[in-house]
């Protein structure tokens, strides 16, 4: 059985070769199928032997890749590689050619409504056109001008959607890029580049929005709802919610929509508690072609983890209260000690002043007893600091006034 599968796979390797020419500025989706793909096997896309900058999705037994806004740098050979049992085999080779100009082409692109999402609307013509303008029709018969420019002059901004950082500021007559970033959900609609002669390019933009919310308003306690919305359905569209395990998507829920001019919405409820982050992607398919991927990551905390978190919060609050009480008590003790020290120092200062008077009296009597001359006293008055100025001392026949 394994030998038969191996030969079938080898036949696919030999004969699965495709070449494609696409319009400059459009999105390209490539697909690679392998029968009997085991769980340990992986599929991925490479360009000219190197990993592509775009993400690869593995779903069922297929590997998908989306190339956004292709140009000359997107040209080349794309290889679908199968890694199985330690060996690498090439399953598919896809050669991509990109047209140099974008005249008289109409294409549809999908973009997620997110802060890091963008759209580059490209105008490139063979001949020179003096004037160019980009218009936007959000609904039928609601066309408005976004920007207008003349050759060699600066851009005139007219509409509500402002040019992004990668937009051209002047017009050369043949080449211009109108960049939009970020992409809002209500930016869906039809964008046209129009010269002074006619409509040159038509780009239809469909926007995707993913969201997560809890029916009870608290994400970590109860279940959550994941919702994916597409702004408008014009073809047969399928929405798929995939739980990601690496780059492999596991189908959880899908919905088909064929009614035109309506918004498509798909919601999946997550009632199981998980402690690790959950990686999800909403995939948009038209027939068997992957058109867009909108990733989202959520983190549902289990009830046990919630209880532990709440217990830890209470413990931290108790610790903070005890610390505040100890700090207040310690501060009170310091203030009390400081006040006691100040009072004692003040008393010592007053007591020192009062005890100094007898010292002066003793000194005065000591001088009177030890002097060899005689002391003439005017009156017997109490000795004070003021009275000392009136005392006369005779010593060795010399008179000193103090």
């Amino acid at each position: 059985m394994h030998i038969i599968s191996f030969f079938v796979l080898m036949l696919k390797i030999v004969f699965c070769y495709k070449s494609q020419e696409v319009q400059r500025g459009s999105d390209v989706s490539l697909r690679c199928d392998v029968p009997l793909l085991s769980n340990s096997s992986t599929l991925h896309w490479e360009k000219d032997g190197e990993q592509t900058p775009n993400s690869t999705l593995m779903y069922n037994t297929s590997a998908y890749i989306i190339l956004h806004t292709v140009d000359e740098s997107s040209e080349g050979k794309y290889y679908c590689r199968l890694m199985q049992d330690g060996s690498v085999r090439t399953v598919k080779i896809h050669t991509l050619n990109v047209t140099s100009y974008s005249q008289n082409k109409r294409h549809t692109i999908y973009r997620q409504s997110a802060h890091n999402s963008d759209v580059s609307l490209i105008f490139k013509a063979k001949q020179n056109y003096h004037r160019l303008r980009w218009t936007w029709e959000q609904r039928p018969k609601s066309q408005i001008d976004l920007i207008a420019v003349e050759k060699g002059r600066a851009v005139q901004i007219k509409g509500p959607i402002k040019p992004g950082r990668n937009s051209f500021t002047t017009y050369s007559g043949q080449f211009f890029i109108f960049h939009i970033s970020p992409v809002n959900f209500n930016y869906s609609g039809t964008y046209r580049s129009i010269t002074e002669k006619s409509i040159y390019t038509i780009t239809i933009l469909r926007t995707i929005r993913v969201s997560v919310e809890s029916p009870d308003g608290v994400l970590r306690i109860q279940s959550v709802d994941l919702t994916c919305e597409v702004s408008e359905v014009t073809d047969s569209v399928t929405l798929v919610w995939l739980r990601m395990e690496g780059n492999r998507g596991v189908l959880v829920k899908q919905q088909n929509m064929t009614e035109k001019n309506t918004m498509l919405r798909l919601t999946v409820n997550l009632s199981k508690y998980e402690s690790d982050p959950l990686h999800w992607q909403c995939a948009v398919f038209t027939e068997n072609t992957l058109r867009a991927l909108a990733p989202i990551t959520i983190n549902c905390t289990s009830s046990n983890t919630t209880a532990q978190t709440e217990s830890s919060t209470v413990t931290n609050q108790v610790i903070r209260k005890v610390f505040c009480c100890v700090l207040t008590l310690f501060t009170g003790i310091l203030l009390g000690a400081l006040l006691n020290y100040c009072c004692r120092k003040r008393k010592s200062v007053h007591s020192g002043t009062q005890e100094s008077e007898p010292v002066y009296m003793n000194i005065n009597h000591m001088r009177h007893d030890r002097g060899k001359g005689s002391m003439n006293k005017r009156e017997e008055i109490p000795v004070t600091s003021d009275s000392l100025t009136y005392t006369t001392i005779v010593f060795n026949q010399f008179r000193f006034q103090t």
Side-chain angles (χ1 to χ4, degrees):
M1 182 66 182
H2 292 288
I3 297 176
I4 297 175
S5 301
F6 175 76
F7 280 111
V8 171
L9 181 60
M10 292 303 295
L11 288 174
K12 284 182 173 288
I13 293 173
V14 173
F15 296 105
C16 195
Y17 182 90
K18 185 177 180 180
S19 179
Q20 182 182 7
E21 185 177 75
V22 296
Q23 179 191 348
R24 181 191 183 106
S26 62
D27 290 352
V28 177
S29 179
L30 304 180
R31 175 180 175 177
C32 170
D33 300 313
V34 175
L36 303 175
L37 186 64
S38 64
N39 292 332
S40 60
S41 302
T42 59
L43 282 169
H44 66 275
W45 282 93
E46 297 177 358
K47 179 179 182 294
D48 296 330
E50 298 181 356
Q51 291 286 339
T52 59
N54 297 271
S55 59
T56 302
L57 170 67
M58 281 186 59
Y59 176 47
N60 292 332
T61 59
S62 302
Y64 301 87
I65 187 173
I66 302 175
L67 308 175
H68 294 291
T69 317
V70 296
D71 55 16
E72 288 88 346
S73 63
S74 305
E75 290 186 334
K77 291 185 177 181
Y78 292 81
Y79 300 87
C80 178
R81 310 286 195 189
L82 169 64
M83 299 183 64
Q84 189 174 41
D85 299 329
S87 60
V88 180
R89 302 183 181 92
T90 301
V91 179
K92 185 175 184 178
I93 302 175
H94 192 109
T95 301
L96 190 67
N97 298 310
V98 181
T99 60
S100 300
Y101 307 102
S102 55
Q103 186 176 13
N104 300 326
K105 298 291 184 178
R106 179 189 182 99
H107 59 274
T108 302
I109 61 176
Y110 290 78
R111 290 292 186 275
Q112 181 182 2
S113 175
H115 69 279
N116 59 348
S117 181
D118 66 342
V119 172
S120 292
L121 303 175
I122 299 176
F123 168 85
K124 188 172 183 180
K126 293 181 180 181
Q127 65 184 71
N128 281 291
Y129 293 95
H130 185 67
R131 295 182 183 88
L132 176 69
R133 61 192 175 101
W134 279 95
T135 65
W136 175 42
E137 187 177 80
Q138 188 177 25
R139 293 174 299 274
K141 299 181 180 180
S142 63
Q143 180 172 296
I144 59 173
D145 287 349
L146 294 178
I147 60 173
V149 63
E150 294 184 6
K151 185 178 179 180
R153 296 187 178 183
V155 177
Q156 299 177 16
I157 303 173
K158 296 186 174 183
I161 302 177
K162 308 303 180 184
R165 61 187 179 279
N166 294 327
S167 294
F168 286 7
T169 55
T170 58
Y171 172 51
S172 65
Q174 290 181 292
F175 189 38
F176 190 85
I177 294 179
F178 178 35
H179 179 246
I180 302 174
S181 179
V183 177
N184 295 334
F185 187 70
N186 60 354
Y187 284 1
S188 64
T190 302
Y191 294 81
R192 297 179 176 90
S193 63
I194 303 175
T195 66
E196 62 264 28
K197 295 182 178 180
S198 61
I199 298 174
Y200 200 86
T201 61
I202 299 176
T203 302
I204 301 172
L205 173 63
R206 297 286 176 253
T207 52
I208 310 165
R209 178 169 58 193
V210 292
S211 60
V212 54
E213 63 177 332
S214 171
D216 299 318
V218 182
L219 232 172
R220 65 182 185 183
I221 295 178
Q222 299 295 336
S223 61
V224 296
D225 290 336
L226 298 180
T227 301
C228 181
E229 301 171 277
V230 177
S231 58
E232 187 177 353
V233 176
T234 55
D235 301 314
S236 178
V237 175
T238 301
L239 280 187
V240 179
W241 267 117
L242 302 172
R243 174 167 177 167
M244 302 306 298
E245 298 177 356
N247 69 337
R248 186 188 295 269
V250 179
L251 175 63
V252 176
K253 190 176 182 180
Q254 73 177 34
Q255 180 177 342
N256 301 324
M257 177 68 73
T258 56
E259 185 178 353
K260 295 183 178 181
N261 301 323
T262 59
M263 185 174 69
L264 177 59
R265 176 181 298 176
L266 179 62
T267 299
V268 60
N269 179 266
L270 305 182
S271 58
K272 295 182 179 180
Y273 293 109
E274 299 289 346
S275 58
D276 297 329
L278 306 179
H279 302 284
W280 293 76
Q281 292 208 63
C282 176
V284 181
F285 290 89
T286 56
E287 297 180 353
N288 292 324
T289 302
L290 177 66
R291 304 305 305 270
L293 288 172
I296 188 171
T297 301
I298 63 174
N299 191 358
C300 294
T301 307
S302 67
S303 57
N304 293 333
T305 306
T306 302
Q308 294 174 3
T309 304
E310 293 175 352
S311 175
S312 176
T313 303
V314 172
T315 303
N316 292 335
Q317 291 176 353
V318 171
I319 293 174
R320 284 196 296 268
K321 289 182 180 180
V322 172
F323 176 77
C324 291
C325 292
V326 173
L327 182 62
T328 303
L329 180 61
F330 183 71
T331 304
I333 294 173
L334 287 179
L335 289 175
L338 182 62
L339 290 174
N340 184 40
Y341 172 76
C342 292
C343 291
R344 292 178 61 185
K345 188 171 183 180
R346 184 176 181 183
K347 288 180 179 180
S348 64
V349 171
H350 285 291
S351 61
T353 304
Q354 294 174 359
E355 293 173 356
S356 63
E357 294 180 356
V359 173
Y360 287 108
M361 293 176 66
N362 295 335
I363 292 174
N364 187 50
H365 287 298
M366 290 173 65
R367 290 178 178 176
H368 176 72
D369 294 338
R370 294 181 181 180
K372 294 183 179 181
S374 62
M375 178 177 289
N376 298 326
K377 297 184 288 183
R378 295 181 181 179
E379 292 182 353
E380 292 292 337
I381 57 174
V383 179
T384 64
S385 60
D386 294 332
S387 65
L388 293 177
T389 60
Y390 299 99
T391 302
T392 302
I393 300 176
V394 179
F395 184 73
N396 291 335
Q397 302 301 321
F398 293 97
R399 178 175 291 178
F400 296 93
Q401 297 289 336
T402 61

